[in-house]
Amino acid sequence: MVRTPAGLLGGLPTAGPTGADPAADQVTGDAVVAAVAIRPADSLPPGTTDPAARATVDDLGELIDRTLLTYLDGEPDIGPLVEAITTRLSPDPGALADLFQLVWDKSTILWTRASDDLMRGRDWAESGALQLGFGPLGLLAPAVYDLAKPVMATFAASLPPLSEYPDVLQAAYRDMTEFAAGMEEGLSGSGLCELSFYTEIFDNLTASVQQHLVVANPVIQAGMVAGLVERLVGDLLGVVALVLLLSSGPILVALICFVVYSMWQAGQEKLAHEAGGMLATAAAQPFVTLHSAAVGVDLLFQLGRILGPIIFDILLFAIGEEPIELAVKGARQATRVADIFERLKPFLPATKEAELLIDRVAQEGMELLQWFKPTLLHYDTALDDVFLRVLTLDGSDTILRDIREYVEANAEGEAVHELVRRLITAVDQMTEQRLEGLLFLSEHRPHTNASPKYPGPMFGEINWTDVLEFAPETMEGTPDELFDLLGAIAPRVLRNDSGITKVIFDFVMGGHIYTGAAGALLAAKKLITDNPAALLRFEVDDTNRVIDIITYLIETVQQDDQVVERLVLDLIAEVKSLPSGVLDGRQRSKLIKQMRKDLLRHATMGDADLDRLVWLLDPRGYPALRAKLWVMFREALDAERGNIAKLVDLNRFRQGLEDKIARGILVQPYL
């Protein structure tokens, strides 16, 4: 859940949205949403021309604002607004439709501002950016849906016959009904279920629209946003991140919702019928779930949840002259999707911002995928399924970019196809944890100098593609081992930690440093297994010493009348990879010196009970070394007792050491 810090939004707008500046060069969330919210005079929400009804709705504006902020804070409270509506509004279709459109418009403005503020200075490709940027949309979208249920429960029975509704609402009803009829035909043609099954869906949908027409449009759009957010943060297509790199994420949501709003406000029943049929034909299976949805507001919301991702796919894959679908799914389905998009395209807002977005998606967003097209065609259809599975992986945009970067630097001609196939197939066969480790390595690439053993440019980067290709010949560990270990700890490594890069370098370059690097990663895995809340830093510089691993915890404190979070030290871990279990005199002397430094450091920092010190050993050498290290720690304490006594109570410190030894806490195996 995304919670917006107090004061982040700078208050809600006091007036309606204004048009976008046609001379603006930048595409902003506010500009497009504002442009989308402006409607021609003949399609304004009903009730806006009735001064009495409009004044009544405007009186609720501040209460709507406060209610929406409770959703943004993650603690929804619609009670006061529901009470005000049911006690102050009469069962007038125009006023009610106006009210719900106002709630929806305010939600759109608020989530766009909140998302833009949260993403300021961030990149949509960053880890966790999608969840953060789309969080406000997911929090606010259900508001109009939640409000519609109790309000319609109060007013539905008292509303006049549909024939007495304003003309614009009656036109919307006809368009929605024709859309449902076209959808029924499209579903029937799919042959998934018996005809009677689809007839029931049609009957339930038309009944839901008829009985709840005053809330149908915003509720369906709310469902679309909910469906889009679920799709974007839960089942990420690689191209999604590419598109989000080009523009503010909420712009896409506004465009997609506007397509449906426009279609149902256009009074073009034939086009609505065709659109319903084509959408159902292109994606029949999701619509089948409508059969089990409760008639009324729930069914309308569910319809939106289906429509949002489908229209998103159409916008994504059909913009441009040569959709990647032609190479991946075959020309037949691509042609159908492109046809649907051409039918829906006229409903996109005629603003410079929308045109810029479409052009940039076509020219830049699709360009990376088009790069893979020759290889897919080279293997006919043999690689299609593999490529599609990779596309649906979280972070697939990073994976595809990395593959392209590596192939362009290392292959030419026909060799390109084989190298792409090998890398794509390797990714497809990875476990979820290894994929997470792969993406982590892509974000924390070590550098190396050129050498006879590792030829290449000076200070060249080592990415996961390099690991897969040269690792079998040069690494002591395996790529799978590295990806597994990184995937296990990736979510808990502090983002600004540069020490992990050195650990990865040591692992990849092999030799004795591989043993230490593998030990550090295994030790880190143990630390977060023992304490899942811990955050990790590696290779931390200290006075005359580099600390292998430090773990931190997040602490919430009160500071200057505000609640803030800060990192507090949890544990300092020294990692020793001594698999033989044998120490010579030189090694013993070196370890005692390190122990003396550790004990003195912990006394200096006030750790009188040694609660924050642990030595983690290779499990192969641990049984033989455990007792020896206990004796060595006692010798180290005796050697530093004068200095330690100046800092803490010496007897308490010694008792803490003996307690940690007796309980097996001070020296542990990392497996």
Side-chain angles (χ1 to χ4, degrees):
M1 176 179 293
V2 176
R3 294 181 63 85
T4 306
L8 180 66
L9 304 179
L12 287 167
T14 56
T18 59
D21 177 8
D25 292 325
Q26 299 297 320
V27 181
T28 65
D30 281 348
V32 171
V33 171
V36 168
I38 295 179
R39 303 179 177 87
D42 59 353
S43 64
L44 285 172
T48 52
T49 57
D50 179 350
R54 185 63 181 175
T56 305
V57 172
D58 279 348
D59 288 344
L60 298 172
E62 292 186 7
L63 184 53
I64 292 172
D65 292 343
R66 292 197 298 272
T67 301
L68 293 177
L69 286 174
T70 68
Y71 275 81
L72 199 59
D73 287 337
E75 300 176 356
D77 181 12
I78 62 170
L81 181 56
V82 171
E83 181 180 1
I85 293 169
T86 54
T87 57
R88 292 165 57 184
L89 286 186
S90 60
D92 173 74
L96 289 174
D98 189 18
L99 168 74
F100 279 94
Q101 192 61 54
L102 181 64
V103 173
W104 182 247
D105 288 346
K106 283 179 173 288
S107 299
T108 302
I109 294 169
L110 182 55
W111 81 45
T112 303
R113 288 188 176 180
S115 177
D116 285 346
D117 283 337
L118 289 170
M119 291 303 297
R120 186 168 291 116
R122 294 175 177 268
D123 193 305
W124 283 99
E126 290 181 14
S127 175
L130 287 172
Q131 288 82 352
L132 180 69
F134 281 103
L137 281 70
L139 290 172
L140 282 161
V144 73
Y145 164 68
D146 292 342
L147 184 64
K149 290 194 287 187
V151 171
M152 291 308 296
T154 299
F155 285 112
S158 304
L159 288 170
L162 193 62
S163 59
E164 297 180 16
Y165 279 29
D167 291 343
V168 68
L169 270 182
Q170 293 190 45
Y173 170 70
R174 290 192 297 270
D175 290 343
M176 289 183 183
T177 304
E178 282 302 316
F179 178 88
M183 189 184 76
E184 181 191 17
E185 291 180 9
L187 291 174
S188 301
S190 70
L192 290 177
C193 304
E194 295 293 329
L195 181 61
S196 60
F197 183 90
Y198 301 119
T199 301
E200 291 176 7
I201 294 177
F202 171 74
D203 291 342
N204 290 341
L205 180 53
T206 52
S208 299
V209 172
Q210 183 173 17
Q211 296 166 14
H212 300 82
L213 184 59
V214 295
V215 301
N217 183 58
V219 166
I220 291 172
Q221 291 192 70
M224 291 176 67
V225 173
L228 279 166
V229 171
E230 291 165 3
R231 164 69 174 280
L232 292 171
V233 302
D235 183 23
L236 178 66
L237 283 170
V239 284
V240 173
L242 290 175
V243 173
L244 296 180
L245 290 174
L246 306 177
S247 182
S248 173
I251 295 178
L252 286 178
V253 177
L255 289 175
I256 291 168
C257 290
F258 189 75
V259 168
V260 170
Y261 172 86
S262 301
M263 185 172 63
W264 288 334
Q265 298 289 335
Q268 298 185 29
E269 299 166 33
K270 183 176 184 298
L271 192 144
H273 188 104
E274 290 178 353
M278 288 189 294
L279 288 172
T281 302
Q285 186 61 49
F287 286 102
V288 172
T289 60
L290 288 175
H291 191 271
S292 59
V295 177
V297 175
D298 288 338
L299 190 144
L300 297 173
F301 188 73
Q302 179 65 17
L303 173 63
R305 290 178 66 183
I306 296 169
L307 284 175
I310 291 175
I311 296 178
F312 179 80
D313 283 341
I314 293 167
L315 179 68
L316 196 61
F317 285 113
I319 293 176
E321 297 178 358
E322 294 182 306
I324 194 65
E325 294 280 87
L326 293 173
V328 179
K329 291 187 175 179
R332 184 176 179 182
Q333 184 170 353
T335 301
R336 181 186 302 125
V337 172
D339 185 35
I340 297 171
F341 176 73
E342 288 304 317
R343 299 296 184 94
L344 298 179
K345 201 171 181 180
F347 294 110
L348 288 169
T351 64
K352 181 179 179 180
E353 290 78 12
E355 293 171 3
L356 282 173
L357 178 63
I358 294 170
D359 289 342
R360 294 178 71 186
V361 170
Q363 295 171 10
E364 300 177 41
M366 302 298 287
E367 194 267 342
L368 174 61
L369 294 182
Q370 290 290 354
W371 185 86
F372 287 88
K373 185 175 179 178
T375 296
L376 296 172
L377 293 174
H378 177 79
Y379 289 103
D380 195 13
T381 59
L383 202 58
D384 289 359
D385 288 344
V386 174
F387 187 73
L388 281 173
R389 285 195 295 271
V390 172
L391 265 183
T392 61
L393 296 174
D394 190 4
S396 58
D397 57 310
T398 297
I399 293 171
L400 296 180
R401 277 200 303 265
D402 289 349
I403 290 175
R404 177 178 180 176
E405 177 183 287
Y406 184 80
V407 171
E408 288 182 334
N410 292 278
E412 295 180 351
E414 292 297 308
V416 166
H417 303 316
E418 171 56 23
L419 185 51
V420 169
R421 183 202 63 77
R422 195 159 64 238
L423 291 170
I424 287 283
T425 302
V427 171
D428 180 52
Q429 294 173 348
M430 288 187 183
T431 64
E432 184 176 342
Q433 180 166 297
R434 287 174 185 169
L435 285 169
E436 188 162 4
L438 177 154
L439 291 169
F440 184 81
L441 175 52
S442 181
E443 188 178 354
H444 298 81
R445 306 180 193 184
H447 293 74
T448 177
N449 287 324
S451 70
K453 187 176 182 181
Y454 305 110
M458 295 294 287
F459 301 105
E461 288 185 332
I462 301 173
N463 201 357
W464 62 269
T465 45
D466 301 288
V467 171
L468 282 177
E469 287 298 305
F470 74 64
E473 299 179 2
T474 60
M475 281 174 56
E476 292 187 35
T478 67
D480 285 349
E481 179 187 8
L482 177 59
F483 296 149
D484 259 330
L485 289 171
L486 291 177
I489 67 171
R492 308 309 302 168
V493 178
L494 286 171
R495 286 191 56 81
N496 60 351
D497 179 40
S498 60
I500 186 63
T501 304
K502 182 180 184 305
V503 174
I504 295 172
F505 175 89
D506 290 348
F507 189 106
V508 173
M509 289 307 167
H512 71 281
I513 56 177
Y514 156 74
T515 305
L521 294 175
L522 287 166
K525 183 178 178 181
K526 171 181 170 54
L527 290 170
I528 61 174
T529 299
D530 293 345
N531 186 359
L535 295 169
L536 303 167
R537 283 186 67 195
F538 294 81
E539 300 289 321
V540 181
D541 287 331
D542 190 33
T543 305
N544 301 322
R545 182 81 184 278
V546 175
I547 299 172
D548 291 329
I549 304 174
I550 297 181
T551 67
Y552 299 86
L553 297 175
I554 296 177
E555 178 182 74
T556 303
V557 297
Q558 190 80 20
Q559 180 176 316
D560 297 330
D561 298 326
Q562 290 186 335
V563 177
V564 297
E565 292 182 340
R566 66 182 183 186
L567 291 177
V568 294
L569 188 144
D570 174 49
L571 204 61
I572 295 177
E574 179 67 23
V575 182
K576 296 299 176 188
S577 297
L578 300 165
S580 68
V582 177
L583 294 177
D584 59 28
R586 182 186 61 82
Q587 289 174 314
R588 191 178 190 280
S589 175
K590 181 179 179 180
L591 290 181
I592 289 181
K593 287 181 180 179
Q594 292 180 357
M595 290 174 178
R596 291 175 64 177
K597 290 180 180 179
D598 284 354
L599 294 176
L600 189 58
R601 180 198 310 112
H602 283 259
T604 302
M605 58 189 279
D607 184 17
D609 299 311
L610 287 175
D611 290 328
R612 305 195 185 286
L613 175 64
V614 63
W615 276 41
L616 298 172
L617 274 60
D618 188 313
R620 293 168 294 181
Y622 172 74
L625 289 174
R626 176 180 54 182
K628 295 177 184 178
L629 294 183
W630 293 346
V631 172
M632 292 163 62
F633 263 112
R634 294 183 180 112
E635 292 180 20
L637 176 55
D638 287 340
E640 290 290 342
R641 63 182 181 276
N643 291 323
I644 292 174
K646 298 175 184 178
L647 300 167
V648 295
D649 184 297
L650 182 61
N651 290 331
R652 177 181 173 182
F653 197 81
R654 189 182 300 278
Q655 182 57 45
L657 177 69
E658 294 299 331
D659 176 64
K660 300 304 180 294
I661 289 174
R663 292 163 57 194
I665 295 175
L666 182 63
V667 180
Q668 304 178 43
Y670 53 62
L671 276 181

